[in-house]
Amino acid sequence: MRKLIFILFLLTVSCKTKMAAPSGMVTHKAMVVSARSEASKIGANILARGGNAFDAMIATELALAVAYPYAGNISGGGFMVYRLNDGKTGALDYREKAPLAATRNMYLDASGKVIPGKSWFGATATAVPGTIAGIFEVHKKFGSLPFSTLIQPAIDLAQKGVIITHKQDSTIKYYKKQILKVSGSNNFFAKDIKEKDTVRFTQLANTLERIKNNGRDEFYNGTTARLLVNFVQSKGGYITMEDLQKYEAKWRDPVEFRYKKLKIISMSPPSSGGITLGQIMKMIEPYNISKYGHNQAKTIQLITEAERRAYADRNYFLGDPDFVEIPTAKLLDKSYLKSRMSGFTFKQPTLSSSVSHGNIEIVESDETTHYSIVDPFGNAVSVTTTVNGAYGSKLYCDELGIFLNNEMDDFSSKPGTPNMFGLIGAKANRIEPEKRMLSSMTPTIVEKNGKLWMVVGTPGGSTIITSVLQTILNVYEFKMSMQEAVNAPRFHHQWLPDDIKMEPGRFSKKVKEELTKLGYKINEHNSRIIGKVDAILVRRNGSLEAGADKRGDDTAAGF
Ligand code: GLY
């Protein structure tokens, strides 16, 4: 008996030491974490009114379209991964599509060279938007409150106005020249917008009001559709009424795999997120990474080598599953991944030039935005949404109050040639009419011992996948609280360029010296921040801890 009590005591002590005290906001029933406090509060308020996670998703997505034009949108696209309280999982793909008029060489000149900027700036870069189709699809399948209730807070916010934050002030200033160049000097964003100003988005409020009154068709076959098509075509773009009428969001099976005691549920193609995350996690799984220590040289080395191999596969194999055959099972197969790691040794780096497949070079960006939601019923949604670049194509349509996306740049304009992000694509992601372009967005939900454990995701281009990875490992392997895991310094490797990007000044000299001595190149120059993770951790006692990334204005709200 004494022995049993002693064992129980030891177990209690060890359990206690394993659980970091929360350092982020804690609530007991429900939570929304997003890039803007207005959006998190609007989402949480819908939950407080009895709405479920899907109702809150719609309200949050629309609120971000108003409060965060940098990446929030009704003119872009995204992905949602969900887990219901009974454990059922699923995913929605509301990624943009290439217009019917798209051709493989549409961004090449007569001599076959990529025309600089054509897939990046202005109407020629714009793909058929999916966001409105996405939220109506969510409402049809899972919504419990009337759509008008879910869109009204965004309309009110647009009319009442958004207070410009310090960080927003900086980004508007940073991109203003480009916006003026593309949209002209009379457009809405040409006026002097600065910190603490209240900016009212009246035209956007009108667009949202019409969507409230006329439903999904307003955007894909109504007044808004006609205004959008006329505007895009007047600026030399390709979208037609037929493109809008044919757009459909698609329910997909998420990518699911195990990592030790965790089950990871993440986004399937046309996002590369789930498969690449799975490959990296399965390659590091056999190693006792927690023993190596958080952000220690051995840990960084192991993760780097797994990332190198996974990113080499990424662009060679992945694209829109409706157009290309993707060997998902093989890519996530244990013995395949073991063979990928067979040349790995802690003694020296593997040269990227000796790792086959793909010709990929990606430079990260911190555009795009992510939000995580858990409702009082135990349902969870993880959503990443984007207009691709910051303020999309920089083309603002005053009449509709929206920036147009530049998602066409996520295709490989010319296999073998870098796009504006330095991404050199392969055939699997070449342009075809009605095809969805490859994404890195990685909205993810994690179960531990069969129960909801974490909801996580981030913006950050190619660094999305590795930021999600590090956040999960920080809590699971390195026993951090949710907020600590989000705060922790991040690094990134993506096969090419063959360097380890690190958030500047956040890694110890000793670790950098150890890695350099082994032959790794450290790059602290072009990654001021890596990712802006918004996550929720379900703690053992059922409470929810937020990880809201202070690299941005990201905020949690809940009750
Ligand atoms: N446009 C960013 C992404 O889809 O990954």
Side-chain angles (χ1 to χ4, degrees):
M1 188 63 183
R2 265 189 172 173
K3 225 176 178 177
L4 187 67
I5 291 170
F6 184 60
I7 290 169
L8 281 174
F9 168 74
L10 281 184
L11 276 176
T12 321
V13 169
S14 78
C15 284
K16 272 198 179 136
T17 53
K18 274 184 182 167
M19 201 169 164
S23 51
M25 179 187 188
V26 174
T27 64
H28 293 277
K29 288 190 173 155
M31 185 175 274
V32 179
V33 191
S34 84
R36 289 286 304 209
S37 65
E38 298 91 335
S40 299
K41 280 183 198 150
I42 283 173
N45 196 29
I46 289 295
L47 297 176
R49 290 170 68 181
N52 61 30
F54 300 95
D55 294 318
M57 177 269 180
I58 295 165
T60 307
E61 180 98 14
L62 291 166
L64 284 167
V66 177
Y68 195 55
Y70 182 79
N73 67 85
I74 58 167
S75 51
F79 297 107
M80 174 184 80
V81 169
Y82 69 83
R83 182 187 183 277
L84 303 181
N85 53 12
D86 62 3
K88 285 198 192 84
T89 58
L92 181 68
D93 160 4
Y94 55 99
R95 182 71 161 163
E96 301 94 320
K97 277 169 56 170
L100 286 157
T103 59
R104 191 174 300 169
N105 297 334
M106 64 194 284
Y107 297 115
L108 306 185
D109 65 16
S111 63
K113 287 204 193 91
V114 173
I115 303 166
K118 196 175 175 189
S119 67
W120 188 247
F121 292 113
T124 53
T126 300
V128 185
T131 298
I132 293 298
I135 58 174
F136 274 97
E137 198 59 37
V138 170
H139 192 250
K140 191 164 75 186
K141 190 161 170 146
F142 291 116
S144 74
L145 298 180
F147 188 81
S148 55
T149 306
L150 307 176
I151 196 170
Q152 193 60 49
I155 298 173
D156 295 343
L157 181 64
Q159 278 163 348
K160 203 176 78 196
V162 176
I163 299 170
I164 301 297
T165 65
H166 178 69
K167 286 181 178 134
Q168 227 167 0
D169 174 292
S170 318
T171 53
I172 291 172
K173 283 203 171 85
Y174 185 83
Y175 288 103
K176 191 158 182 172
K177 216 167 137 193
Q178 289 179 18
I179 294 170
L180 293 192
K181 193 168 168 209
V182 176
S183 300
S185 50
N186 288 328
N187 93 95
F188 183 84
F189 275 82
K191 61 186 180 195
D192 188 29
I193 299 174
K194 53 185 186 317
E195 189 178 353
K196 297 203 176 105
D197 284 354
T198 299
V199 178
R200 293 183 180 82
F201 296 97
T202 314
Q203 290 309 103
L204 179 55
N206 294 342
T207 303
L208 294 173
E209 186 74 37
R210 287 197 304 276
I211 294 170
K212 181 179 87 173
N213 295 335
N214 304 322
R216 181 196 188 282
D217 255 13
E218 171 62 30
F219 194 88
Y220 291 98
N221 201 16
T223 305
T224 302
R226 282 187 289 278
L227 288 171
L228 179 63
V229 167
N230 289 344
F231 179 74
V232 169
Q233 292 188 355
S234 72
K235 301 287 177 190
Y238 309 103
I239 296 174
T240 61
M241 284 301 286
E242 193 185 355
D243 281 314
L244 292 176
Q245 285 155 359
K246 286 187 87 175
Y247 185 86
E248 272 176 20
K250 293 193 172 183
W251 295 99
R252 307 256 186 212
D253 290 331
V255 169
E256 302 194 350
F257 60 92
R258 301 203 80 86
Y259 174 82
K260 299 181 183 176
K261 285 189 180 150
L262 304 180
K263 182 176 146 195
I264 318 286
I265 304 141
S266 192
M267 194 60 217
S268 44
S271 179
S272 61
I275 291 178
T276 308
L277 179 67
Q279 286 199 302
I280 301 168
M281 293 191 90
K282 299 301 282 180
M283 280 191 265
I284 65 175
E285 191 176 29
Y287 298 85
N288 197 347
I289 198 166
S290 59
K291 283 257 155 51
Y292 307 158
H294 177 250
N295 278 351
Q296 295 306 301
K298 211 168 167 182
T299 307
I300 295 173
Q301 189 185 6
L302 174 63
I303 293 175
T304 291
E305 292 301 340
E307 288 175 352
R308 184 197 308 282
R309 288 156 174 81
Y311 275 81
D313 276 352
R314 176 192 180 273
N315 250 38
Y316 186 81
F317 291 108
L318 304 187
D320 182 343
D322 297 339
F323 284 73
V324 290
E325 202 155 320
I326 300 171
T328 306
K330 176 80 184 169
L331 288 169
L332 291 170
D333 178 72
K334 212 170 160 181
S335 45
Y336 170 70
L337 293 169
K338 198 172 165 205
S339 73
R340 292 291 277 154
M341 283 296 268
S342 60
F344 166 64
T345 151
F346 279 110
K347 291 197 189 106
Q348 64 195 41
T350 310
L351 293 178
S352 283
S353 53
S354 71
V355 175
S356 65
H357 281 317
N359 280 310
I360 172 176
E361 180 178 328
I362 310 167
V363 178
E364 74 284 358
S365 61
D366 61 359
E367 294 89 4
T368 302
T369 190
H370 176 85
Y371 53 95
S372 295
I373 302 176
V374 175
D375 73 16
F377 315 106
N379 305 304
V381 301
S382 185
V383 183
T384 314
T385 179
T386 190
V387 278
N388 195 24
Y391 307 103
S393 64
K394 321 290 188 274
L395 180 58
Y396 190 75
C397 174
D398 279 305
E399 212 167 354
L400 296 175
I402 55 175
F403 278 103
L404 303 190
N405 73 72
N406 62 344
E407 215 68 59
M408 288 300 285
D409 196 67
D410 269 351
F411 279 116
S412 31
S413 291
K414 180 180 180 184
T417 303
N419 68 359
M420 292 285 286
F421 278 144
L423 186 144
I424 303 172
K427 271 204 299 210
N429 190 34
R430 69 186 172 195
I431 305 171
E432 294 177 68
E434 295 204 84
K435 191 177 182 183
R436 284 150 146 92
M437 54 297 287
L438 187 64
S439 170
S440 295
M441 294 192 279
T442 315
T444 299
I445 295 177
V446 188
E447 280 180 13
K448 189 175 175 190
N449 301 323
K451 289 190 181 143
L452 176 66
W453 184 65
M454 188 187 285
V455 186
V456 59
T458 178
S462 57
T463 68
I464 289 176
I465 301 161
T466 56
S467 297
V468 167
L469 166 81
Q470 288 168 79
T471 309
I472 297 170
L473 295 179
N474 286 351
V475 179
Y476 185 71
E477 297 283 9
F478 303 114
K479 310 299 172 209
M480 294 183 197
S481 75
M482 189 72 261
Q483 187 64 54
E484 280 168 352
V486 168
N487 295 347
R490 297 190 194 112
F491 65 93
H492 173 76
H493 192 285
Q494 56 180 37
W495 185 43
L496 290 173
D498 192 354
D499 59 16
I500 304 175
K501 289 187 177 52
M502 288 181 169
E503 289 184 311
R506 300 206 60 198
F507 288 78
S508 77
K509 197 164 164 246
K510 180 171 160 281
V511 163
K512 286 186 278 185
E513 274 170 8
E514 278 171 28
L515 288 165
T516 308
K517 212 166 142 199
L518 280 164
Y520 290 92
K521 279 190 218 110
I522 306 290
N523 176 353
E524 287 182 288
H525 301 299
N526 53 358
S527 313
R528 188 179 57 82
I529 59 166
I530 296 180
K532 283 184 213 159
V533 176
D534 283 337
I536 301 172
L537 181 70
V538 183
R539 292 170 50 76
R540 214 174 280 135
N541 64 6
S543 63
L544 307 171
E545 187 200 348
D549 207 324
K550 297 305 163 213
R551 293 166 177 85
D553 290 322
D554 304 45
T555 312
F559 51 91

